[in-house]
Each structure stands twice: as structure tokens, then as C-alpha cells.
Amino acid sequence: MRISGIDFPSIMMGTSVCDYKGNRRSLLKKVEESILFSIKSGKLGYDTARDYGNESILGKIFSSLIKKGEISREDLFITTKVGNNQQRLGDIRHELELSLKALRLDYLDLWLLHWPLPGHYLDNWKQMCEIYQSGMVKAIGIANCRERHILEMEKANVVLPHVIQIEYHPFRTVPRMVQMCKERNIQLEAYSANCLMLPFVRHNDILTSLAKKYSRTVGQIIMRWHVQQGVIPIFSSFNKAHIAENINIFDFELEESDMQKIFNLNIDYKFHPESLNCFSY
């Protein structure tokens, strides 16, 4: 899909290593192997953030793969985000330069504010818009925002995001936000696209029946549901089998009635409340 004049991948791979147990060397090897496997399996985007603490790890991996001729920079689509602590400091260009240095890149494909931090995000967004014009980033957006933040941006008469990244899955479909994005030509990205495959997701009667009908896994049904509606899903896994499962969804199509069955699962379930990461959200 084409957004802001550039080609976006249909699927993104999350790269957070916050919960990974092990030493740095084994971590680097595990992440490098999984990224190389994903590159060979299909063209993906890679989603990280300053607060994940892994920009330098990814920079080393991407630089190594490029030098080995395994990939070219043009084959990569890299996203990172400005954290709340960096937003409070207020020098957004400096934060971008730090991320680019850590990632060993000359530019970012997508750059996000990690949160619409009260009292800061509008001023920081204005800086991001100016930096976007310089070409250091190809597209800009905001993660974890709600309808009211878009309305506040419109009231402030600023350029709207190219991309909004939120928790979005069959059990949280936020129809008003989706409609608002469609009306404003904002691309929606879904983190935790499969709702972490929690037990109530894995064993849901509707999803398991659809998996049986299409001879797929529940995870593939969910990923296909995202892609088929034009949402970019983000999955997180360093397991090669799971990576392949999440990517191999382009040789079947869900019937419209089955798409609606999945939409009907919505219970506005959110496993990650904003207040955990963004005080006074």
C-alpha cells in the first residue's frame, strides 16, 4: 500500500526485546536470525522504539546484513518512536539524530510519537512536521492516541498524522476511530494484532471454526482479517515458525460474512491501559 508517497509493507514485525531473558550476545544472535528469516520469507516492516532499548541492537543487525549483501537499505522499512522522556526534553530533532545514529541509518521510513503526552505532544508534533519536510523521515505518525487527540490536532490547525498505531484486534475494533482515520486518509496500524493469542483468543469458538473452515490457524485468520480491511498488523515473535505463520496469509481470502463474524467479537477489550505508560493520559 502507498502512504504519503511511499510504499508501506502490508505486515510489520515488532522487535521489542524488553521481556527477553538472556545475555546480549545470545539476544543479538536470536534477533538477527529471526530478522534474516523474515526478510527471506517476505517483505516486512520492522517496528521499534527508543523505550524498547534495542535501537543499537537493530542497527548492528541491519548494518551487518547490508554489508553481507543479504539486504539493501531499500528493502527495509524501519519505524521507531519518540518516548515520553524524550518528549519532555523537547528537542525532537536531536532525538531523531540519536535514533538514526543508534540504528545506523540515514533516514527513517516511519517516525512516531509513542504517546500523545499531555502538555507536550502538540508542540513536539509541530517539530516533527518540520523535520518531515527535510526528508530525514518519510512518514510521521502517533501511537496510542484516541479520537480526541485527532480533534485537538485539527483544532490546532496542524498537519494530521500519516499513520496512527493503536491496540487493535478482533476484540477491540474501535469503529469510531477507524471511521475517523478513513475520513482523514490516515493509515491504521495495529499493535498486538492477535491480542497476544491469549487463551480466550486461541479458543474462541468463532475463530477456531473459521480456522477449520479455511484450513488455517487462528493466528492466520486474525492476520488475514487485518490485511483484508486495509489495516497493517504488527506481530511480535522471534520464533521462525510463528513468523512464517504470520506472513503466509496471502493465498486465501475471508468471505465478507466471515469478516463480519470477526468484527462482531468486539468487546472493547484492552489489555494495555494507557495510564500504565502515560501519566494523566
Side-chain angles (χ1 to χ4, degrees):
M1 57 186 70
R2 197 159 180 83
I3 304 161
S4 181
I6 62 172
D7 291 322
F8 271 59
S10 299
I11 299 175
M12 302 280 286
M13 179 177 171
T15 62
S16 173
V17 293
C18 296
D19 299 322
Y20 185 84
K21 308 301 181 185
N23 62 43
R24 186 178 177 85
R25 180 174 295 179
S26 62
L27 171 62
L28 186 67
K29 186 174 187 297
K30 187 177 184 69
V31 177
E32 182 175 12
E33 288 176 351
S34 64
I35 288 178
L36 179 57
F37 176 80
S38 70
I39 289 170
K40 291 180 176 179
S41 301
K43 188 173 182 180
L44 302 180
Y46 297 91
D47 180 270
T48 187
R50 177 72 61 78
D51 288 348
Y52 296 168
N54 68 348
E55 286 181 332
S56 61
I57 291 174
L58 293 174
K60 187 172 183 178
I61 291 170
F62 292 137
S63 176
S64 173
L65 293 176
I66 290 171
K67 287 179 180 177
K68 291 176 184 176
E70 300 278 4
I71 54 173
S72 67
R73 172 63 183 96
E74 292 70 30
D75 293 327
L76 294 170
F77 188 98
I78 311 298
T79 301
T80 196
K81 311 178 191 77
V82 183
N84 291 350
N85 288 335
Q86 295 87 53
Q87 283 202 61
R88 292 186 181 96
L89 294 174
D91 189 345
I92 300 303
R93 178 179 287 272
H94 177 63
E95 300 305 329
L96 172 61
E97 290 170 349
L98 291 177
S99 287
L100 289 173
K101 182 178 180 180
L103 288 164
R104 306 189 188 189
L105 299 174
D106 295 324
Y107 66 91
L108 283 177
D109 300 285
L110 176 60
W111 189 34
L112 306 175
L113 287 179
H114 210 151
W115 297 87
L117 186 65
H120 296 274
Y121 86 93
L122 276 175
D123 287 340
N124 291 332
W125 179 252
K126 292 174 184 177
Q127 292 185 56
M128 289 179 70
C129 290
E130 293 176 1
I131 294 167
Y132 165 71
Q133 295 297 329
S134 74
M136 296 173 71
V137 294
K138 302 300 182 183
I140 52 177
I142 301 180
N144 298 296
C145 69
R146 294 207 172 180
E147 297 98 304
R148 69 177 184 272
H149 298 111
I150 298 176
L151 295 175
E152 287 172 1
M153 295 178 81
E154 288 184 326
K155 186 176 180 180
N157 197 31
V158 297
V159 174
L160 294 180
H162 301 125
V163 173
I164 284 176
Q165 185 186 116
I166 59 173
E167 182 182 333
Y168 181 82
H169 45 69
F171 300 90
R172 184 178 190 260
T173 61
V174 289
R176 287 188 300 175
M177 172 64 94
V178 171
Q179 185 60 35
M180 184 174 283
C181 287
K182 287 181 178 177
E183 291 171 351
R184 291 157 177 78
N185 199 31
I186 298 172
Q187 176 63 46
L188 186 65
E189 286 187 346
Y191 73 75
S192 301
N194 57 14
C195 197
L196 302 185
M197 291 303 288
L198 295 170
F200 79 89
V201 179
R202 294 198 309 270
H203 303 300
N204 178 268
D205 289 342
I206 295 295
L207 294 176
T208 54
S209 66
L210 290 176
K212 183 177 181 180
K213 174 180 177 179
Y214 291 94
S215 299
R216 300 287 168 158
T217 65
V218 167
Q220 287 176 314
I221 294 296
I222 294 174
M223 293 293 283
R224 181 68 205 183
W225 172 78
H226 280 291
V227 169
Q228 207 163 305
Q229 62 179 290
V231 172
I232 299 175
I234 303 171
F235 72 89
S236 296
S237 179
F238 297 129
N239 180 295
K240 292 179 181 179
H242 291 163
I243 292 171
E245 177 185 336
N246 281 295
I247 293 172
N248 295 327
I249 60 166
F250 294 99
D251 58 350
F252 77 105
E253 185 170 334
L254 297 171
E255 296 176 6
E256 188 55 41
S257 59
D258 291 333
M259 290 284 291
Q260 191 57 53
K261 287 178 184 177
I262 301 175
F263 278 113
N264 291 342
L265 295 174
N266 178 43
I267 53 173
D268 199 28
Y269 173 80
K270 199 170 195 308
F271 79 91
H272 189 77
E274 289 93 341
S275 57
L276 293 175
N277 288 85
C278 193
F279 178 72
S280 72
Y281 179 90

